[in-house]
Amino acid sequence: MTTAEHSPTAAGSGASATESFRAGRRDHVAADVPPERVSAVVGAVLAGVHDAIREHEVSYAEFQAAKQWLIDVGEGGEWPLFLDVFVEHVVEDVAARSQQGTKGSILGPYYLPDQRKLPAVADLPARPDEQGTPLVFTGQVRDTSGNPIAGAELDLWHADSEGYYSGFAPGIPEGNLRGVIVADNQGRFQIHTIKPSPYQIPTDGPTGKLITAAGWHPWRPAHLHLLVRAPGHRTITTQLYFEGGEWLDSDVAEATKPELVLDLRPHGDGALRADYDFVLEPA
Ligand code: DHB
Ligand code: FE
């Protein structure tokens, strides 16, 4: 198979992300929002659009181009990609106002539930010829009083050495570089995987075309995604980045935080090691 056949298209990744959102748990979707709140929030969003049109004297031709672009985003299934890159970080900022312990970050569009459960010391599922620098990721999960949380779960997923996610890009086995690690009775874990590469928003779809049209760049720094959870504790949705990583200071999704950057140490044979301790607050 050629590289081109492996390359995920925007349409492929976008459609998969939309399908995954539809299939996902819907109990986190707000229902029965009172009319006063709908009016206040949607009214503010529309007022922002109106202000931008007045301030920049948007023409009819530009308005129609925007309408076409919105139609294309929907038809390409790219709303999860677009919203998670350009909007989710602010929703996360608001949620973070009431959160103690480890800092959170955006979930993004590529989470898949029900991955393989793995013991505290484990290899993340990978292809026999998985490319990339080997990474040993160790640490401990504790509560806000400093007590280890036995059996805490780390639901971990990340891109491969080309920046592609299993379940969304073609040609990658199901469950690759995904797993739920169960920490030991001291809350400790040691995960063997590879260091992912930076992620690029697919450039061939409407989101990519907008980025090009605006002269922005489409990159996110390399990152690990994690949900860290334990009974009786508030689940943390976060991402960890790598010190010195490209795009760390200009993440298109604005989802980095200084507290979420891993220090890397050599681990022999060209491998790297990173340690990180998670702190969960009571639910
Ligand atoms: C998107 C992709 C990611 O891998 C991520 O972590 C956040 C957002 C996106 O394409 O929307
Ligand atoms: Fe990601």
Side-chain angles (χ1 to χ4, degrees):
M1 211 183 259
T2 66
T3 310
E5 284 168 313
H6 269 302
S7 295
T9 59
S13 297
S16 306
T18 295
E19 204 180 299
S20 163
F21 178 78
R22 284 211 181 99
R25 292 172 57 198
R26 305 315 299 272
D27 51 349
H28 290 125
V29 177
D32 299 328
V33 181
E36 310 80 68
R37 186 161 170 83
V38 176
S39 175
V41 175
V42 178
V45 170
L46 289 173
V49 173
H50 302 162
D51 286 349
I53 293 169
R54 287 194 188 96
E55 185 184 342
H56 299 281
E57 301 189 327
V58 172
S59 68
Y60 257 99
E62 289 167 334
F63 172 59
Q64 302 299 8
K67 208 184 282 179
Q68 183 63 57
W69 180 83
L70 289 161
I71 292 167
D72 293 346
V73 174
E75 284 181 354
E78 279 202 22
W79 280 119
L81 266 67
F82 178 84
L83 291 169
D84 293 355
V85 157
F86 290 110
V87 181
E88 188 186 352
H89 68 96
V90 190
V91 181
E92 199 285 319
D93 274 352
V94 171
R97 290 177 188 171
S98 70
Q99 187 170 313
Q100 314 293 310
T102 301
K103 298 283 181 202
S105 185
I106 65 173
L107 177 69
Y110 298 142
Y111 174 65
L112 290 172
D114 306 321
Q115 297 302 309
R116 195 186 306 171
K117 281 229 178 154
L118 301 167
V121 179
D123 293 335
L124 204 61
R127 290 161 282 192
D129 60 346
E130 194 71 47
Q131 302 297 298
T133 306
L135 174 70
V136 183
F137 175 47
T138 60
Q140 187 184 35
V141 185
R142 295 190 292 264
D143 64 21
T144 41
S145 310
N147 303 308
I149 306 180
E153 288 186 358
L154 290 93
D155 198 337
L156 171 67
W157 71 105
H158 66 80
D160 67 10
S161 69
E162 293 188 283
Y164 298 145
Y165 286 88
S166 65
F168 297 89
I172 305 177
E174 213 177 295
N176 205 63
L177 302 178
R178 295 175 183 272
V180 179
I181 296 90
V182 182
D184 69 12
N185 60 10
Q186 283 303 307
R188 294 190 185 279
F189 58 88
Q190 183 182 115
I191 304 159
H192 299 247
T193 183
I194 56 107
K195 185 170 172 278
S197 287
Y199 165 86
Q200 183 180 26
I201 295 176
T203 49
D204 59 328
T207 306
K209 287 191 180 132
L210 171 72
I211 288 169
T212 306
W216 302 335
H217 77 69
W219 291 96
R220 297 213 61 221
H223 55 277
L224 305 176
H225 287 271
L226 290 130
L227 298 182
V228 185
R229 57 183 171 244
H233 296 80
R234 179 167 166 179
T235 298
I236 281 178
T237 302
T238 196
Q239 300 190 20
L240 294 173
Y241 305 89
F242 302 93
E243 62 169 336
E246 209 177 354
W247 316 111
L248 207 46
D249 297 325
S250 64
D251 179 7
V252 64
E254 297 184 50
T256 64
K257 296 183 185 181
E259 300 87 345
L260 298 176
V261 179
L262 293 167
D263 291 331
L264 292 170
R265 285 183 286 141
H267 193 69
D269 279 348
L272 294 168
R273 176 179 169 146
D275 289 298
Y276 200 83
D277 293 345
F278 297 92
V279 177
L280 302 189
E281 66 177 320

